[in-house]
Each structure stands twice: as structure tokens, then as C-alpha cells.
Amino acid sequence: MEVRVAGHQVETGAALQNHVSDRLEALTERYFARATTANVTFGKGPHDNGFICDIVAPVVNGVVLKASNRAHDAHQAFEGAADKIERQLKRYKSRLRERKGDAAARDGFDANAAYTVFAPPPSPEEPVPEHPPVIAETRVDIPETSVSDAVMMLDLRNTNALMFRNSASGAFNMVYRRDDGSIGWVEPRDR
């Protein structure tokens, strides 16, 4: 496994780099047969208070694991982020195991699933800007997958929303994390 350790305004000593490499290699051996890469970045916390550790690790099929943690010590910041990555990997492996022998039932569920979410009315106290600013614009590959796999990718990528092409219908769909922690699913109407 190739592990790249970098520091932004922080020195990463040999002991920290060895610890990071050893821990991530142990995780890789436990959950994946093939070697992957990981980028680990350390930085100063806000107002020079402690450390921040960010881990980005692409695994398989376009799935990218991301985790971040803050602590007063660089080793503790890394351990917290590595624990988050390990929880994501455990979830990913258990979902793969659940689905392995249950493909026919899963396909039937995806084809017949329906979900409706009604948004609350906008608050009259908050003025809506006429033209809100565009914060970021990126280009991404849109995966073709089932709804359940899209939810798994949403969890593994640690994002709030994921657009995908539904493998059952061929239409573009979106899954997103709602404020209450549940998952919403947007599917276009057939015309």
C-alpha cells in the first residue's frame, strides 16, 4: 500500500509517518486483498489549537473513503480519523456480505421501491437572495449502480448527496442525507 503523509505548516517526523503507514497497511490487509493508496494530511487546528488529520483513500469501484479528526496531539488526530475509516470499511464489507447471496431479492426491491419527501415551507424571516453565489463547481464521474449501492457509496464517501444512474431504470437518480439522519431518494417521473 502506498501511503503519502504530508503536513501543512506541520512537521511530520519519521515516527508519525511510520505509525500512519503501519496502521493503514493493517487496515488494508484486514479488509482488502489488493493494495490501495492513501493520502494523509496533517495541519494546524483553528487558531493554532491542536492538529487536524485528513485521510483520503480510494478503494475499489470508484469508492473513496474520507475522514477527518481534530485533537491536541497529531497521533490522536490520526487515530480518530483512522477509526472513522475503519468503521466505514466495516460497514462496506458487511453490506457486501449481506448482498452477496441475495441479488434476486435486492433487484426486486429496487425495481418496486418508492419514496416521497415533502420539503418544509421556507421560513418567511429569511430573505432568499435573487442570485445565490456558486460556491464550488466540480466535474465528477456518475456511477451506474443500484439504489442500495448508491446509499453505501454515500456513506463511504462521507458526503451529503450522490447523483447516480439507476442500473434498474437507466434514469439519473440522487440519494441524499436528510437533516434527521435518514436517507432521501430522488427519482424522476416517467413521462
Side-chain angles (χ1 to χ4, degrees), residues 163-181:
M163 179 179 245
F164 66 100
R165 185 181 295 272
N166 190 329
S167 58
S169 66
F172 288 105
N173 287 198
M174 184 177 76
V175 290
Y176 62 96
R177 185 163 316 282
R178 299 177 60 197
D179 291 337
D180 63 359

Side-chain angles (χ1 to χ4, degrees), residues 41-113:
T41 307
F42 292 93
K44 287 296 229 180
H47 312 291
D48 290 334
N49 187 12
F51 295 89
I52 297 174
C53 177
D54 294 316
I55 301 174
V56 178
V59 275
V60 293
N61 297 332
V63 174
V64 179
L65 302 174
K66 295 179 183 179
S68 183
N69 194 47
R70 292 183 186 177
H72 289 288
D73 179 57
H75 286 273
Q76 291 173 346
F78 168 72
E79 285 300 324
D83 288 344
K84 290 177 184 177
I85 291 286
E86 187 169 13
R87 282 193 300 272
Q88 292 174 2
L89 287 170
K90 283 180 185 177
R91 226 178 309 150
Y92 176 70
K93 289 297 257 189
S94 67
R95 286 185 180 171
L96 286 179
R97 261 186 260 120
E98 288 172 6
R99 280 193 232 116
K100 202 164 199 168
D102 203 76
R106 185 183 76 245
D107 291 340
F109 174 75
D110 286 344
N112 298 321

